[in-house]
Amino acid sequence: MSSFLPLISEENEALFTAVNRIGPVVLSAQSSVLIAGSPDHPYLLFEPTTDPADLETLVDWLNEGIEKLILPLSWAKDVIGSIPPERLVLLIDVANVSAVSDKVRSNVSGVLLKTPTLDLDFISSIAKFFTNSSIYVLQTSGDAPTVSNIRQLRGIGATLIIPSSQITLEASSAKQINIADAYLAPLVSDRSDGLYPTIVSTETGHSLGLVYSSKESVKESILTGKGVYQSRKHGLWRKGETSGATQDVVSIRVDCDSDSLEFRVVQHGAGFCHLNRESCFAEASGLPALERTLASRLESAPEGSYTHRLFNDPKLLQSKIMEEADELCRAENKEDVAFEAADLFYFALTKCTAAGVTIADIERSLDRKAKRVTRRAGNAKPQWSTEKKEVAPPTPAQPSADGPITMNTYDLSAVSPEQRAQLLRRPVLNSGEMIQKVRPIVDEVRKRGDAALLEFTAKFDKAKLSSTVVFPPFAPETMRLPENIRSSIDVAYSNIHKFHAAQISAAPLVVETMPGVVCSRFSRAIARVGLYVPGGTAVLPSTALMLGIPAQVAGCKEIVLATPPRPDGSISPEVVYVAHLVGASAILKAGGAQAVAALAYGTETVPKVDKIFGPGNQWVTAGKMLVQNDTDALVSIDMPAGPSEVLVIADHTANPAFVAADLLSQAEHGVDSQVVLVAVDLKPDHLAAIEREVEAQALALDRVDIVRQSIAKSNIVKVANVDEGVAFSNDYAPEHLILHLENAHDQVARVENAGSVFVGPYTPESCGDYASGTNHTLPTNGYARQFSGVNTQSFQKHITSQQITPDGLGGLGPVVATLADCEGLQAHANAVRIRLQTIQK
């Protein structure tokens, strides 16, 4: 049981950090300071209201990690039975105790009593009424609590809730109590020297040693977050003060008798023990020992060694994890299961270590999963399911490293409506799940700016930087290129510039809607734009061209490019050269959701932008979708663009080599890309020729490992005629649509949904990707139903104006006044009538 619970309802980062070390934190649902700083054990308090309980929202809070909900009595009947009792605390006033039914009492884990005075006898009687429930007390008089109040309440088994306005990091006063004084109030010692035995352990609860604490040492630890103890001989012992082996305190807990403590810490330096080892109880074993070993190997594994390859070859590590998971599934007796599970743990922890994930991070994730109230159905994903399902076409298992490279084939005439719908889906994660994954990254960049940006760049891009942004003029050596590449970029720049410049409409639209009433619309450039240029598995200067040129043509005042740096911290010279051509005002050396967050909110060095453009993986897409819905960011996005995709419609005239090449040109983008071939009445030998070409051309590619995985998720859909093929394509709404059809040009008019269309056998999609002039930043994942590809007008906003003469208002005014009266908006009508009276005079 905690000494007290703080009720946080105002911004105070230092106070929040301190109280989070010592136990649960109560947050007010009515306050704007909600989930500030992500408390470790948050309770959420809802004040009484006339509104009904929103069960779905409450369950969402629990799924997000809220430990307990404190709900008013009026909501109890709506939530009992749907929310586990151990997650519910009942909020009641002293006058309402008798209104609590037996059903309510037996379905909550505690009660929060709001009372004007701390009447111990009355509180004690209520505690007896709520047998086996935790009792919390919130004094409503506004009087600051005392150490005696806390101690007396703990004596009767109750816990005081103290508003943050009454807690201070300074010395206790008549209006506020010091946080450490409040925490230490109920502690007692059974030792003659008054010290408290203290177990020091790691974040994961593995013991480091036994020490002693005093009230002074505990107070200092709470306030500073550093490991401070009491030496029985030398007074205060600030761990690491001389050795450098310091400790960061994660949490401080009191045992059930309030006479001993547990400190959970992050140990730095040689270790806790004076023998320069991690623990006084010998070296760590099991998973903690493996974690230390892997962390050491990550830093020191020799170049070319197996361990070095595991850390630096994601494909090899993925293969080992898949291999060990399969062997674990096949193991039957106890010894084999233990042996194979250990192998799987080893390679899984290797991946975690490479990604900067610790066992403590894993346990926090497990804790969050354990707190979820709603559960998934528990079904395996299609590619791993061992059950046959009627609804969706089967998805093949993970392709082997040397197996055939084949697509999945379906006959549209033989599938059910449900199966057809499944064929229209992309092999990507749920956007809601991805947004939850990127939210902590976005929040950290928003909160800590450049410091978080540098940390994430080191973690995800494996580049340790000293600065985040490069500003023009860009050094000539950073954009030194072979002449053939430079000249190719120049040609592409010219073509793309021509096409996008033609999209500018200089003259405003002016319409006289009735005599004396002139309406107009004119365009203005969006002032500050952020352009995301992917740089993960491929260098993409083409994307810099496609985004930078329309921004330049539109007249944007500030153009910020964001692109992941290379491991040495540099940016590819091709991208720097394009940044120079388009007049970029800055280059942000970061990728992923962290780059999106920096553009959306700005940091100490990264300029904030008004709109973010550019394709990316699912992390980038989720980050863009998250920030555009945050009103504090005040940023929009071009579209929720995700992994690349192409749909090819081919008939008997199609050249198999051309079709295969077009499919592979998108399949090589990434493992989450998808390509679709709609085969229009193709003969078996023609279709087989295309499939042979796909495998033969794929095996000749450097990125064949990526192609293996994307092709395995890709489909051939057989249709009877062109009408069926175009209809399927319109439903699929592809990013790229390629027409390998007889008289292909005649079919363009029937295309309703597509990002960009490539017509005929000599129009490869690659030309649109690079240099024909059209833009390659296009809607994916079916969003071509609602979105256009990026164009010059994407970088502009349109403003309307109107000018009305007295005669014009004479004709229009009565219409407006009548409609305003109809809607009951008298001030609107008056704004017209007061002018009409002037005109009539």
Side-chain angles (χ1 to χ4, degrees):
M1 182 185 295
S2 301
S3 301
F4 75 100
L5 296 185
L7 172 57
I8 305 294
S9 56
E10 58 188 11
E11 290 280 3
N12 187 331
E13 184 175 350
L15 179 64
F16 173 83
T17 301
V19 296
N20 195 39
R21 293 187 187 109
I22 57 176
V25 173
V26 181
L27 303 169
S28 170
Q30 277 66 40
S31 168
S32 60
V33 190
L34 206 55
I35 314 299
S38 299
D40 295 331
H41 301 280
Y43 294 10
L44 191 57
L45 169 64
F46 290 80
E47 294 288 349
T49 174
T50 56
D51 296 330
D54 183 346
L55 181 59
E56 183 177 352
T57 299
L58 295 176
V59 169
D60 285 344
W61 279 119
L62 293 174
N63 288 339
E64 285 297 313
I66 292 295
E67 195 153 293
K68 291 182 186 290
L69 296 172
I70 306 174
L71 304 181
L73 179 61
S74 60
W75 286 6
K77 66 179 184 300
D78 297 325
V79 302
I80 282 176
S82 299
I83 294 178
E86 65 271 15
R87 308 292 292 279
L88 284 177
V89 174
L90 186 65
L91 172 64
I92 56 173
D93 288 313
V94 290
N96 295 333
V97 174
S98 59
V100 180
S101 67
D102 290 340
K103 181 180 179 181
V104 171
R105 275 194 298 166
S106 61
N107 280 279
V108 297
S109 65
V111 58
L112 169 53
L113 180 66
K114 295 181 72 172
T115 174
T117 60
L118 298 178
D119 185 333
L120 296 180
D121 290 336
F122 181 69
I123 295 170
S124 181
S125 66
I126 290 177
K128 294 175 182 176
F129 182 70
F130 289 93
T131 307
N132 299 324
S133 292
S134 300
I135 305 299
Y136 306 98
V137 178
L138 177 61
Q139 188 175 8
T140 58
S141 64
D143 296 335
T146 65
V147 167
S148 178
N149 294 148
I150 297 171
R151 187 179 294 124
Q152 289 170 340
L153 284 169
R154 280 296 301 274
I156 62 172
T159 302
L160 186 64
I161 292 184
I162 309 176
S164 55
S165 60
Q166 297 175 6
I167 309 171
T168 181
L169 300 177
E170 308 299 328
S172 295
S173 65
K175 294 184 177 180
Q176 291 181 310
I177 186 170
N178 174 270
I179 175 179
D181 289 342
Y183 185 72
L184 294 167
L187 263 68
V188 293
S189 175
D190 57 1
R191 294 172 50 86
S192 58
D193 57 8
L195 300 181
Y196 310 103
T198 302
I199 295 293
V200 183
S201 65
T202 65
E203 282 184 279
T204 53
H206 293 82
S207 296
L208 298 177
L210 174 66
V211 297
Y212 293 89
S213 297
S214 63
K215 290 193 174 183
E216 291 76 14
S217 70
V218 175
K219 180 177 291 190
E220 186 168 331
S221 286
I222 292 173
L223 297 181
T224 66
K226 298 297 180 181
V228 181
Y229 310 105
Q230 187 75 33
S231 168
R232 288 168 291 173
K233 295 180 180 180
H234 306 296
L236 282 182
W237 170 34
R238 296 177 176 89
K239 180 73 178 75
E241 192 171 42
T242 56
S243 68
T246 58
Q247 293 176 343
D248 293 328
V249 176
V250 176
S251 68
I252 304 175
R253 297 290 181 266
V254 180
D255 78 335
C256 58
D257 294 325
S258 297
D259 61 5
S260 63
L261 299 165
E262 182 203 43
F263 276 49
R264 290 202 175 190
V265 302
V266 176
Q267 175 68 55
H268 302 288
F272 178 83
C273 180
H274 69 285
L275 298 179
N276 285 337
R277 61 188 187 185
E278 182 183 29
S279 170
C280 291
F281 303 114
E283 294 294 343
S285 62
L287 289 178
L290 176 60
E291 183 178 48
R292 290 185 63 187
T293 299
L294 289 171
S296 174
R297 290 177 179 174
L298 177 63
E299 297 295 327
S300 61
E303 186 81 16
S305 68
Y306 177 58
T307 303
H308 187 272
R309 288 175 58 212
L310 279 176
F311 282 120
N312 293 278
D313 185 347
K315 299 302 179 189
L316 173 62
L317 183 54
Q318 176 180 330
S319 297
K320 293 303 298 181
I321 292 173
M322 301 288 290
E323 174 187 329
E324 299 303 338
D326 180 68
E327 291 182 2
L328 176 59
C329 292
R330 296 173 187 277
E332 295 180 358
N333 62 55
K334 181 178 179 180
E335 291 76 14
D336 287 347
V337 169
F339 184 88
E340 300 301 343
D343 279 350
L344 181 58
F345 283 154
Y346 178 91
F347 291 106
L349 200 52
T350 299
K351 182 175 179 67
C352 292
T353 302
V357 174
T358 66
I359 292 175
D361 295 327
I362 297 169
E363 290 192 350
R364 277 189 287 272
S365 181
L366 288 171
D367 288 342
R368 286 183 65 85
K369 293 177 188 296
K371 290 177 182 177
R372 290 186 64 85
V373 175
T374 55
R375 305 294 180 192
R376 295 179 180 178
N379 299 323
K381 291 184 178 179
Q383 63 264 43
W384 308 117
S385 177
T386 58
E387 299 176 4
K388 292 185 177 180
K389 295 187 172 108
E390 295 297 325
V391 174
T395 304
Q398 187 75 18
S400 65
D402 55 0
I405 299 176
T406 59
M407 300 169 68
N408 312 297
T409 302
Y410 307 100
D411 188 333
L412 201 61
S413 65
V415 301
S416 67
E418 292 81 9
Q419 291 173 324
R420 186 182 192 277
Q422 187 70 13
L423 288 172
L424 299 174
R425 299 184 64 186
R426 275 55 165 187
V428 295
L429 293 177
N430 177 276
S431 61
E433 291 180 359
M434 286 303 302
I435 287 174
Q436 291 309 310
K437 289 180 180 180
V438 304
R439 189 183 300 276
I441 297 173
V442 171
D443 288 345
E444 282 297 301
V445 174
R446 179 182 181 183
K447 198 162 49 175
R448 298 195 293 117
D450 284 347
L453 202 54
L454 291 171
E455 287 177 17
F456 287 128
T457 302
K459 179 177 179 179
F460 297 125
D461 298 320
K462 309 303 181 189
K464 294 185 178 180
L465 307 177
S466 57
S467 63
T468 59
V469 182
V470 179
F471 295 100
F474 305 120
E477 62 270 18
T478 66
M479 45 185 172
R480 191 173 291 123
L481 296 169
E483 185 53 37
N484 64 327
I485 294 178
R486 181 185 293 272
S487 61
S488 294
I489 290 177
D490 290 343
V491 171
Y493 177 88
S494 175
N495 288 349
I496 299 166
H497 194 284
K498 275 181 198 171
F499 186 71
H500 287 78
Q503 298 169 23
I504 285 282
S505 176
L509 172 70
V510 180
V511 178
E512 185 174 30
T513 57
M514 62 187 295
V517 180
V518 177
C519 297
S520 64
R521 190 185 79 156
F522 52 92
S523 63
R524 293 290 183 269
I526 297 171
R528 305 170 301 180
V529 295
L531 314 180
Y532 187 87
V533 179
T537 58
V539 177
L540 297 177
S542 56
T543 298
L545 287 167
M546 296 295 178
L547 299 175
I549 291 172
Q552 183 184 39
V553 169
C556 299
K557 295 177 182 176
E558 199 161 355
I559 301 173
V560 183
L561 262 69
T563 191
R566 297 187 290 195
D568 65 357
S570 65
I571 304 167
S572 70
E574 296 89 347
V575 172
V576 180
Y577 180 56
V578 173
H580 165 71
L581 289 178
V582 303
S585 49
I587 303 177
L588 166 59
K589 296 189 288 185
Q594 60 271 24
V596 172
L599 294 171
Y601 300 104
T603 71
E604 298 92 328
T605 58
V606 182
K608 185 205 176 320
V609 302
D610 301 314
K611 188 172 182 179
I612 299 173
F613 296 79
N617 60 20
Q618 296 175 62
W619 295 87
V620 173
T621 301
K624 288 168 65 177
M625 294 174 73
L626 177 61
V627 297
Q628 78 160 342
N629 290 321
D630 183 358
T631 54
D632 288 341
L634 283 177
V635 69
S636 65
I637 66 173
D638 50 352
M639 68 191 83
S644 191
E645 59 191 40
V646 67
L647 186 145
V648 177
I649 306 179
D651 65 8
H652 66 281
T653 65
N655 183 317
F658 290 5
V659 172
D662 286 341
L663 294 170
L664 292 171
S665 70
Q666 293 307 298
E668 74 170 349
H669 267 292
V671 297
D672 49 3
S673 296
Q674 186 181 55
V675 299
V676 177
L677 169 61
V678 176
V680 179
D681 194 27
L682 290 187
K683 302 302 182 187
D685 58 340
H686 195 164
L687 193 55
I690 293 174
E691 293 184 276
R692 284 194 300 273
E693 281 288 342
V694 166
E695 182 167 33
Q697 293 182 33
L699 291 172
L701 299 173
D702 290 341
R703 296 165 69 84
V704 63
D705 289 340
I706 291 174
V707 170
R708 281 188 185 278
Q709 296 183 69
S710 57
I711 286 292
K713 302 175 187 137
S714 300
N715 300 324
I716 297 172
V717 179
K718 296 192 291 186
V719 298
N721 50 56
V722 173
D723 290 348
E724 285 187 7
V726 173
F728 182 85
S729 174
N730 282 331
D731 287 343
Y732 186 85
E735 176 190 20
H736 306 98
L737 170 60
I738 301 179
L739 302 178
H740 282 282
L741 297 172
E742 188 174 22
N743 302 319
H745 183 271
D746 297 342
Q747 302 299 328
V748 175
R750 302 171 61 188
V751 176
E752 297 176 359
N753 301 319
S756 191
V757 185
F758 301 82
V759 185
Y762 293 98
T763 314
E765 185 274 330
S766 310
C767 291
D769 265 359
Y770 290 103
S772 64
T774 62
N775 207 289
H776 81 196
T777 307
L778 303 168
T780 65
N781 207 31
Y783 281 108
R785 297 181 187 89
Q786 303 94 347
F787 288 89
S788 306
V790 164
N791 54 71
T792 302
Q793 292 187 352
S794 303
F795 292 84
Q796 296 177 312
K797 54 187 182 289
H798 292 85
I799 304 170
T800 60
S801 70
Q802 52 249 274
Q803 184 172 358
I804 303 174
T805 64
D807 289 343
L809 186 62
L812 180 63
V815 174
V816 175
T818 299
L819 293 174
D821 288 339
C822 176
E823 294 186 352
L825 299 176
Q826 294 178 326
H828 279 67
N830 184 58
V832 173
R833 290 192 174 110
I834 199 169
R835 288 173 168 80
L836 291 176
Q837 291 168 5
T838 302
I839 294 170
Q840 291 165 0
K841 288 180 182 179

